[in-house]
Amino acid sequence: LRKPLGLTFRPNELAREKSHIHIAGYQGKKIVATAVLVPKGKSCKVQRVAVKSNLQNSGIGQQLMAYCEMHAISKGFQSIYCH
């Protein structure tokens, strides 16, 4: 997301994000939804959730969140939250 804006990554930023879990929702070969799970001990924080604007209110976001929850549980996290 930074490259199109002309922004760069610093090595310390990349190191901090190394444990993040990136989730993508596809329609065919196109990414139409995304979310990031950030491990925080036994919990997992959901960040940067997005659904392509013309597909909002179609249920894709709900499916994405359900998948995030299932994935977090499968990796042993005891809770998932956002804010």
Side-chain angles (χ1 to χ4, degrees):
L1 293 174
R2 295 179 190 199
K3 282 186 180 183
L5 299 174
L7 303 173
T8 59
F9 293 96
R10 292 186 209 124
N12 63 328
E13 291 173 314
L14 291 174
R16 245 189 349 256
E17 294 183 7
K18 195 168 190 162
S19 66
H20 294 188
I21 302 163
H22 296 264
I23 308 290
Y26 288 85
Q27 229 179 25
K29 293 184 178 185
K30 295 186 178 192
I31 295 175
V32 296
T34 62
V36 178
L37 301 178
V38 181
K40 303 268 185 181
K42 294 184 183 230
S43 297
C44 202
K45 181 177 181 181
V46 181
Q47 293 182 339
R48 297 187 293 266
V49 178
V51 175
K52 193 172 178 183
S53 61
N54 66 322
L55 295 172
Q56 292 176 359
N57 297 309
S58 70
I60 290 175
Q62 185 177 9
Q63 291 174 359
L64 178 71
M65 293 308 300
Y67 181 83
C68 287
E69 291 173 3
M70 290 185 328
H71 187 76
I73 290 167
S74 77
K75 296 298 181 187
F77 294 104
Q78 294 177 356
S79 64
I80 185 170
Y81 67 97
C82 63
H83 63 304

